[in-house]
PDB file of all heavy atoms in Angstrom:
ATOM      1  N   SER C1213      -2.231   8.504  -6.219  1.00  0.00           N
ATOM      2  CA  SER C1213      -1.025   8.481  -5.362  1.00  0.00           C
ATOM      3  C   SER C1213      -1.016   9.719  -4.441  1.00  0.00           C
ATOM      4  O   SER C1213      -1.378  10.782  -4.863  1.00  0.00           O
ATOM      5  CB  SER C1213       0.249   8.419  -6.255  1.00  0.00           C
ATOM      6  OG  SER C1213       0.253   7.284  -6.976  1.00  0.00           O
ATOM      7  N   ILE C1214      -0.417   9.493  -3.295  1.00  0.00           N
ATOM      8  CA  ILE C1214      -0.236  10.618  -2.383  1.00  0.00           C
ATOM      9  C   ILE C1214       1.217  10.721  -2.103  1.00  0.00           C
ATOM     10  O   ILE C1214       1.947   9.673  -1.754  1.00  0.00           O
ATOM     11  CB  ILE C1214      -1.034  10.334  -1.042  1.00  0.00           C
ATOM     12  CG1 ILE C1214      -2.477  10.236  -1.372  1.00  0.00           C
ATOM     13  CG2 ILE C1214      -0.753  11.484  -0.078  1.00  0.00           C
ATOM     14  CD1 ILE C1214      -3.320   9.820  -0.226  1.00  0.00           C
ATOM     15  N   THR C1215       1.856  11.885  -2.320  1.00  0.00           N
ATOM     16  CA  THR C1215       3.250  12.051  -2.137  1.00  0.00           C
ATOM     17  C   THR C1215       3.666  11.736  -0.700  1.00  0.00           C
ATOM     18  O   THR C1215       3.005  12.075   0.300  1.00  0.00           O
ATOM     19  CB  THR C1215       3.617  13.553  -2.381  1.00  0.00           C
ATOM     20  OG1 THR C1215       3.335  13.770  -3.803  1.00  0.00           O
ATOM     21  CG2 THR C1215       5.126  13.804  -2.199  1.00  0.00           C
ATOM     22  N   GLY C1216       4.744  10.974  -0.620  1.00  0.00           N
ATOM     23  CA  GLY C1216       5.299  10.654   0.717  1.00  0.00           C
ATOM     24  C   GLY C1216       4.687   9.381   1.344  1.00  0.00           C
ATOM     25  O   GLY C1216       5.022   8.970   2.428  1.00  0.00           O
ATOM     26  N   CYS C1217       3.737   8.719   0.588  1.00  0.00           N
ATOM     27  CA  CYS C1217       3.096   7.574   1.191  1.00  0.00           C
ATOM     28  C   CYS C1217       3.571   6.340   0.516  1.00  0.00           C
ATOM     29  O   CYS C1217       4.237   6.375  -0.558  1.00  0.00           O
ATOM     30  CB  CYS C1217       1.561   7.627   0.965  1.00  0.00           C
ATOM     31  SG  CYS C1217       0.741   8.938   1.935  1.00  0.00           S
ATOM     32  N   VAL C1218       3.340   5.165   0.990  1.00  0.00           N
ATOM     33  CA  VAL C1218       3.699   3.940   0.511  1.00  0.00           C
ATOM     34  C   VAL C1218       2.380   3.151   0.252  1.00  0.00           C
ATOM     35  O   VAL C1218       1.599   2.998   1.083  1.00  0.00           O
ATOM     36  CB  VAL C1218       4.594   3.045   1.405  1.00  0.00           C
ATOM     37  CG1 VAL C1218       4.852   1.607   0.781  1.00  0.00           C
ATOM     38  CG2 VAL C1218       5.864   3.742   1.740  1.00  0.00           C
ATOM     39  N   GLU C1219       2.216   2.710  -0.999  1.00  0.00           N
ATOM     40  CA  GLU C1219       0.962   2.059  -1.436  1.00  0.00           C
ATOM     41  C   GLU C1219       1.365   0.588  -1.854  1.00  0.00           C
ATOM     42  O   GLU C1219       2.331   0.434  -2.637  1.00  0.00           O
ATOM     43  CB  GLU C1219       0.340   2.648  -2.588  1.00  0.00           C
ATOM     44  CG  GLU C1219      -0.757   1.993  -3.228  1.00  0.00           C
ATOM     45  CD  GLU C1219      -1.272   2.616  -4.522  1.00  0.00           C
ATOM     46  OE1 GLU C1219      -0.922   3.755  -4.824  1.00  0.00           O
ATOM     47  OE2 GLU C1219      -1.911   1.929  -5.254  1.00  0.00           O
ATOM     48  N   ILE C1220       0.671  -0.383  -1.297  1.00  0.00           N
ATOM     49  CA  ILE C1220       0.926  -1.720  -1.724  1.00  0.00           C
ATOM     50  C   ILE C1220      -0.236  -2.101  -2.543  1.00  0.00           C
ATOM     51  O   ILE C1220      -1.417  -2.213  -2.188  1.00  0.00           O
ATOM     52  CB  ILE C1220       1.047  -2.660  -0.451  1.00  0.00           C
ATOM     53  CG1 ILE C1220       2.197  -2.211   0.396  1.00  0.00           C
ATOM     54  CG2 ILE C1220       1.177  -4.137  -0.910  1.00  0.00           C
ATOM     55  CD1 ILE C1220       2.300  -3.058   1.726  1.00  0.00           C
ATOM     56  N   SER C1221       0.058  -2.325  -3.938  1.00  0.00           N
ATOM     57  CA  SER C1221      -0.963  -2.394  -4.865  1.00  0.00           C
ATOM     58  C   SER C1221      -1.240  -3.879  -5.216  1.00  0.00           C
ATOM     59  O   SER C1221      -2.402  -4.191  -5.532  1.00  0.00           O
ATOM     60  CB  SER C1221      -0.628  -1.694  -6.155  1.00  0.00           C
ATOM     61  OG  SER C1221       0.645  -2.095  -6.621  1.00  0.00           O
ATOM     62  N   GLN C1222      -0.265  -4.745  -5.198  1.00  0.00           N
ATOM     63  CA  GLN C1222      -0.512  -6.148  -5.597  1.00  0.00           C
ATOM     64  C   GLN C1222       0.402  -7.081  -4.691  1.00  0.00           C
ATOM     65  O   GLN C1222       1.423  -6.644  -4.220  1.00  0.00           O
ATOM     66  CB  GLN C1222      -0.093  -6.435  -6.984  1.00  0.00           C
ATOM     67  CG  GLN C1222      -0.986  -5.778  -8.024  1.00  0.00           C
ATOM     68  CD  GLN C1222      -0.497  -6.076  -9.474  1.00  0.00           C
ATOM     69  OE1 GLN C1222       0.694  -6.229  -9.697  1.00  0.00           O
ATOM     70  NE2 GLN C1222      -1.457  -6.271 -10.333  1.00  0.00           N
ATOM     71  N   SER C1223       0.037  -8.257  -4.624  1.00  0.00           N
ATOM     72  CA  SER C1223       0.798  -9.239  -3.910  1.00  0.00           C
ATOM     73  C   SER C1223       0.428 -10.623  -4.387  1.00  0.00           C
ATOM     74  O   SER C1223      -0.704 -10.900  -4.620  1.00  0.00           O
ATOM     75  CB  SER C1223       0.620  -9.157  -2.386  1.00  0.00           C
ATOM     76  OG  SER C1223       1.314 -10.124  -1.725  1.00  0.00           O
ATOM     77  N   ASN C1224       1.466 -11.472  -4.539  1.00  0.00           N
ATOM     78  CA  ASN C1224       1.245 -12.817  -4.898  1.00  0.00           C
ATOM     79  C   ASN C1224       1.047 -13.516  -3.522  1.00  0.00           C
ATOM     80  O   ASN C1224       1.926 -13.550  -2.746  1.00  0.00           O
ATOM     81  CB  ASN C1224       2.455 -13.483  -5.591  1.00  0.00           C
ATOM     82  CG  ASN C1224       2.214 -14.856  -5.995  1.00  0.00           C
ATOM     83  OD1 ASN C1224       1.486 -15.613  -5.295  1.00  0.00           O
ATOM     84  ND2 ASN C1224       2.875 -15.291  -7.089  1.00  0.00           N
ATOM     85  N   GLU C1225      -0.128 -14.062  -3.254  1.00  0.00           N
ATOM     86  CA  GLU C1225      -0.502 -14.612  -1.921  1.00  0.00           C
ATOM     87  C   GLU C1225       0.414 -15.772  -1.503  1.00  0.00           C
ATOM     88  O   GLU C1225       0.465 -16.103  -0.417  1.00  0.00           O
ATOM     89  CB  GLU C1225      -2.004 -14.911  -1.930  1.00  0.00           C
ATOM     90  CG  GLU C1225      -2.850 -13.690  -2.025  1.00  0.00           C
ATOM     91  CD  GLU C1225      -4.301 -13.993  -1.971  1.00  0.00           C
ATOM     92  OE1 GLU C1225      -4.688 -15.129  -1.573  1.00  0.00           O
ATOM     93  OE2 GLU C1225      -5.037 -13.157  -2.376  1.00  0.00           O
ATOM     94  N   ASP C1226       1.056 -16.422  -2.553  1.00  0.00           N
ATOM     95  CA  ASP C1226       1.859 -17.581  -2.196  1.00  0.00           C
ATOM     96  C   ASP C1226       3.270 -17.151  -1.755  1.00  0.00           C
ATOM     97  O   ASP C1226       4.071 -17.906  -1.222  1.00  0.00           O
ATOM     98  CB  ASP C1226       1.991 -18.528  -3.473  1.00  0.00           C
ATOM     99  CG  ASP C1226       0.632 -19.091  -3.783  1.00  0.00           C
ATOM    100  OD1 ASP C1226      -0.218 -19.287  -2.902  1.00  0.00           O
ATOM    101  OD2 ASP C1226       0.480 -19.404  -5.021  1.00  0.00           O
ATOM    102  N   ILE C1227       3.703 -15.933  -2.149  1.00  0.00           N
ATOM    103  CA  ILE C1227       5.075 -15.418  -1.841  1.00  0.00           C
ATOM    104  C   ILE C1227       4.923 -14.260  -0.896  1.00  0.00           C
ATOM    105  O   ILE C1227       4.209 -13.298  -1.177  1.00  0.00           O
ATOM    106  CB  ILE C1227       5.790 -15.063  -3.102  1.00  0.00           C
ATOM    107  CG1 ILE C1227       5.850 -16.249  -4.063  1.00  0.00           C
ATOM    108  CG2 ILE C1227       7.216 -14.542  -2.807  1.00  0.00           C
ATOM    109  CD1 ILE C1227       6.382 -15.909  -5.417  1.00  0.00           C
ATOM    110  N   VAL C1228       5.600 -14.376   0.268  1.00  0.00           N
ATOM    111  CA  VAL C1228       5.575 -13.341   1.221  1.00  0.00           C
ATOM    112  C   VAL C1228       6.935 -12.767   1.484  1.00  0.00           C
ATOM    113  O   VAL C1228       7.864 -13.581   1.664  1.00  0.00           O
ATOM    114  CB  VAL C1228       4.949 -13.830   2.554  1.00  0.00           C
ATOM    115  CG1 VAL C1228       4.928 -12.828   3.651  1.00  0.00           C
ATOM    116  CG2 VAL C1228       3.576 -14.377   2.315  1.00  0.00           C
ATOM    117  N   ALA C1229       7.121 -11.423   1.492  1.00  0.00           N
ATOM    118  CA  ALA C1229       8.402 -10.776   1.824  1.00  0.00           C
ATOM    119  C   ALA C1229       8.754 -11.151   3.280  1.00  0.00           C
ATOM    120  O   ALA C1229       7.834 -11.150   4.134  1.00  0.00           O
ATOM    121  CB  ALA C1229       8.348  -9.310   1.500  1.00  0.00           C
ATOM    122  N   PRO C1230      10.003 -11.424   3.520  1.00  0.00           N
ATOM    123  CA  PRO C1230      10.411 -11.575   4.964  1.00  0.00           C
ATOM    124  C   PRO C1230      10.124 -10.376   5.824  1.00  0.00           C
ATOM    125  O   PRO C1230      10.043  -9.239   5.305  1.00  0.00           O
ATOM    126  CB  PRO C1230      11.969 -11.744   4.884  1.00  0.00           C
ATOM    127  CG  PRO C1230      12.266 -12.152   3.449  1.00  0.00           C
ATOM    128  CD  PRO C1230      11.123 -11.515   2.573  1.00  0.00           C
ATOM    129  N   SER C1231       9.848 -10.643   7.025  1.00  0.00           N
ATOM    130  CA  SER C1231       9.514  -9.589   7.996  1.00  0.00           C
ATOM    131  C   SER C1231      10.456  -8.438   7.898  1.00  0.00           C
ATOM    132  O   SER C1231      11.695  -8.690   8.017  1.00  0.00           O
ATOM    133  CB  SER C1231       9.471 -10.161   9.414  1.00  0.00           C
ATOM    134  OG  SER C1231       9.136  -9.167  10.335  1.00  0.00           O
ATOM    135  N   GLY C1232       9.996  -7.224   7.755  1.00  0.00           N
ATOM    136  CA  GLY C1232      10.861  -6.054   7.817  1.00  0.00           C
ATOM    137  C   GLY C1232      11.541  -5.688   6.434  1.00  0.00           C
ATOM    138  O   GLY C1232      12.125  -4.587   6.318  1.00  0.00           O
ATOM    139  N   MET C1233      11.286  -6.531   5.463  1.00  0.00           N
ATOM    140  CA  MET C1233      11.998  -6.318   4.180  1.00  0.00           C
ATOM    141  C   MET C1233      11.460  -5.022   3.424  1.00  0.00           C
ATOM    142  O   MET C1233      12.252  -4.119   3.078  1.00  0.00           O
ATOM    143  CB  MET C1233      11.766  -7.500   3.232  1.00  0.00           C
ATOM    144  CG  MET C1233      12.445  -7.326   1.835  1.00  0.00           C
ATOM    145  SD  MET C1233      12.210  -8.821   0.884  1.00  0.00           S
ATOM    146  CE  MET C1233      13.339  -8.554  -0.426  1.00  0.00           C
ATOM    147  N   VAL C1234      10.144  -4.872   3.313  1.00  0.00           N
ATOM    148  CA  VAL C1234       9.611  -3.700   2.619  1.00  0.00           C
ATOM    149  C   VAL C1234       9.872  -2.487   3.430  1.00  0.00           C
ATOM    150  O   VAL C1234      10.269  -1.443   2.914  1.00  0.00           O
ATOM    151  CB  VAL C1234       8.035  -3.904   2.459  1.00  0.00           C
ATOM    152  CG1 VAL C1234       7.435  -2.679   1.917  1.00  0.00           C
ATOM    153  CG2 VAL C1234       7.853  -5.036   1.432  1.00  0.00           C
ATOM    154  N   GLU C1235       9.778  -2.555   4.776  1.00  0.00           N
ATOM    155  CA  GLU C1235      10.024  -1.353   5.627  1.00  0.00           C
ATOM    156  C   GLU C1235      11.468  -0.902   5.445  1.00  0.00           C
ATOM    157  O   GLU C1235      11.682   0.261   5.434  1.00  0.00           O
ATOM    158  CB  GLU C1235       9.650  -1.734   7.083  1.00  0.00           C
ATOM    159  CG  GLU C1235       8.249  -1.995   7.329  1.00  0.00           C
ATOM    160  CD  GLU C1235       7.770  -3.425   6.963  1.00  0.00           C
ATOM    161  OE1 GLU C1235       8.617  -4.189   6.537  1.00  0.00           O
ATOM    162  OE2 GLU C1235       6.539  -3.674   7.038  1.00  0.00           O
ATOM    163  N   GLU C1236      12.376  -1.838   5.540  1.00  0.00           N
ATOM    164  CA  GLU C1236      13.810  -1.481   5.431  1.00  0.00           C
ATOM    165  C   GLU C1236      14.121  -0.920   4.027  1.00  0.00           C
ATOM    166  O   GLU C1236      14.867   0.154   3.919  1.00  0.00           O
ATOM    167  CB  GLU C1236      14.727  -2.675   5.609  1.00  0.00           C
ATOM    168  CG  GLU C1236      16.185  -2.434   5.423  1.00  0.00           C
ATOM    169  CD  GLU C1236      16.783  -1.264   6.268  1.00  0.00           C
ATOM    170  OE1 GLU C1236      16.200  -0.836   7.311  1.00  0.00           O
ATOM    171  OE2 GLU C1236      17.836  -0.743   5.829  1.00  0.00           O
ATOM    172  N   CYS C1237      13.651  -1.484   2.928  1.00  0.00           N
ATOM    173  CA  CYS C1237      13.879  -0.803   1.664  1.00  0.00           C
ATOM    174  C   CYS C1237      13.208   0.520   1.503  1.00  0.00           C
ATOM    175  O   CYS C1237      13.805   1.438   0.911  1.00  0.00           O
ATOM    176  CB  CYS C1237      13.493  -1.835   0.592  1.00  0.00           C
ATOM    177  SG  CYS C1237      14.597  -3.181   0.354  1.00  0.00           S
ATOM    178  N   THR C1238      12.076   0.619   2.044  1.00  0.00           N
ATOM    179  CA  THR C1238      11.372   1.947   2.046  1.00  0.00           C
ATOM    180  C   THR C1238      12.167   2.976   2.784  1.00  0.00           C
ATOM    181  O   THR C1238      12.394   4.104   2.411  1.00  0.00           O
ATOM    182  CB  THR C1238       9.938   1.797   2.605  1.00  0.00           C
ATOM    183  OG1 THR C1238       9.210   0.928   1.774  1.00  0.00           O
ATOM    184  CG2 THR C1238       9.270   3.157   2.667  1.00  0.00           C
ATOM    185  N   ARG C1239      12.758   2.585   3.999  1.00  0.00           N
ATOM    186  CA  ARG C1239      13.548   3.477   4.762  1.00  0.00           C
ATOM    187  C   ARG C1239      14.785   3.887   3.973  1.00  0.00           C
ATOM    188  O   ARG C1239      15.141   5.053   3.991  1.00  0.00           O
ATOM    189  CB  ARG C1239      14.055   2.734   6.050  1.00  0.00           C
ATOM    190  CG  ARG C1239      14.817   3.621   7.055  1.00  0.00           C
ATOM    191  CD  ARG C1239      15.559   2.840   8.015  1.00  0.00           C
ATOM    192  NE  ARG C1239      16.660   2.030   7.485  1.00  0.00           N
ATOM    193  CZ  ARG C1239      17.820   2.577   7.071  1.00  0.00           C
ATOM    194  NH1 ARG C1239      18.043   3.876   7.080  1.00  0.00           N
ATOM    195  NH2 ARG C1239      18.776   1.770   6.510  1.00  0.00           N
ATOM    196  N   GLN C1240      15.436   2.998   3.238  1.00  0.00           N
ATOM    197  CA  GLN C1240      16.642   3.324   2.454  1.00  0.00           C
ATOM    198  C   GLN C1240      16.249   4.371   1.359  1.00  0.00           C
ATOM    199  O   GLN C1240      17.028   5.330   1.173  1.00  0.00           O
ATOM    200  CB  GLN C1240      17.196   2.106   1.865  1.00  0.00           C
ATOM    201  CG  GLN C1240      17.803   1.107   2.828  1.00  0.00           C
ATOM    202  CD  GLN C1240      18.313  -0.158   2.239  1.00  0.00           C
ATOM    203  OE1 GLN C1240      18.588  -0.282   0.997  1.00  0.00           O
ATOM    204  NE2 GLN C1240      18.376  -1.220   3.042  1.00  0.00           N
ATOM    205  N   ILE C1241      15.170   4.230   0.717  1.00  0.00           N
ATOM    206  CA  ILE C1241      14.722   5.092  -0.292  1.00  0.00           C
ATOM    207  C   ILE C1241      14.416   6.522   0.313  1.00  0.00           C
ATOM    208  O   ILE C1241      14.835   7.549  -0.223  1.00  0.00           O
ATOM    209  CB  ILE C1241      13.528   4.616  -1.041  1.00  0.00           C
ATOM    210  CG1 ILE C1241      13.879   3.364  -1.859  1.00  0.00           C
ATOM    211  CG2 ILE C1241      12.816   5.672  -1.925  1.00  0.00           C
ATOM    212  CD1 ILE C1241      12.665   2.567  -2.299  1.00  0.00           C
ATOM    213  N   ARG C1242      13.834   6.521   1.500  1.00  0.00           N
ATOM    214  CA  ARG C1242      13.451   7.713   2.083  1.00  0.00           C
ATOM    215  C   ARG C1242      14.630   8.636   2.598  1.00  0.00           C
ATOM    216  O   ARG C1242      14.544   9.797   2.718  1.00  0.00           O
ATOM    217  CB  ARG C1242      12.511   7.450   3.324  1.00  0.00           C
ATOM    218  CG  ARG C1242      11.217   6.944   2.861  1.00  0.00           C
ATOM    219  CD  ARG C1242      10.103   7.945   3.082  1.00  0.00           C
ATOM    220  NE  ARG C1242       8.779   7.405   2.777  1.00  0.00           N
ATOM    221  CZ  ARG C1242       8.136   7.655   1.656  1.00  0.00           C
ATOM    222  NH1 ARG C1242       8.649   8.506   0.758  1.00  0.00           N
ATOM    223  NH2 ARG C1242       7.020   7.133   1.430  1.00  0.00           N
ATOM    224  N   VAL C1243      15.846   7.964   2.727  1.00  0.00           N
ATOM    225  CA  VAL C1243      17.036   8.683   3.175  1.00  0.00           C
ATOM    226  C   VAL C1243      17.376   9.742   2.079  1.00  0.00           C
ATOM    227  O   VAL C1243      17.559  10.890   2.402  1.00  0.00           O
ATOM    228  CB  VAL C1243      18.176   7.764   3.307  1.00  0.00           C
ATOM    229  CG1 VAL C1243      19.495   8.552   3.443  1.00  0.00           C
ATOM    230  CG2 VAL C1243      17.989   6.892   4.600  1.00  0.00           C
ATOM    231  N   GLY C1244      17.311   9.425   0.863  1.00  0.00           N
ATOM    232  CA  GLY C1244      17.609  10.303  -0.230  1.00  0.00           C
ATOM    233  C   GLY C1244      16.371  11.003  -0.779  1.00  0.00           C
ATOM    234  O   GLY C1244      16.537  12.012  -1.525  1.00  0.00           O
ATOM    235  N   ARG C1245      15.237  10.377  -0.667  1.00  0.00           N
ATOM    236  CA  ARG C1245      14.016  10.909  -1.255  1.00  0.00           C
ATOM    237  C   ARG C1245      12.842  10.871  -0.285  1.00  0.00           C
ATOM    238  O   ARG C1245      11.973  10.029  -0.390  1.00  0.00           O
ATOM    239  CB  ARG C1245      13.735  10.054  -2.476  1.00  0.00           C
ATOM    240  CG  ARG C1245      14.804  10.069  -3.581  1.00  0.00           C
ATOM    241  CD  ARG C1245      14.583   9.126  -4.646  1.00  0.00           C
ATOM    242  NE  ARG C1245      13.723   9.750  -5.671  1.00  0.00           N
ATOM    243  CZ  ARG C1245      13.539   9.174  -6.868  1.00  0.00           C
ATOM    244  NH1 ARG C1245      14.168   8.136  -7.226  1.00  0.00           N
ATOM    245  NH2 ARG C1245      12.756   9.833  -7.759  1.00  0.00           N
TER     246      ARG C1245
END
């Protein structure tokens, strides 16, 4: 792991997160951390 980075380690190929979902949640986390 590298501090400050986002790693995508697994994904179910049949289920896809809506556009912008991961980015928005990552942004929210980065506000405090």
Side-chain angles (χ1 to χ4, degrees):
S1213 296
I1214 301 172
T1215 301
C1217 292
V1218 176
E1219 173 188 342
I1220 299 177
S1221 58
Q1222 292 181 325
S1223 179
N1224 182 330
E1225 294 179 17
D1226 295 333
I1227 303 169
V1228 178
S1231 178
M1233 182 177 192
V1234 170
E1235 294 81 4
E1236 174 57 20
C1237 286
T1238 299
R1239 184 198 67 74
Q1240 291 173 24
I1241 294 166
R1242 293 253 182 253
V1243 168
R1245 300 172 85 167

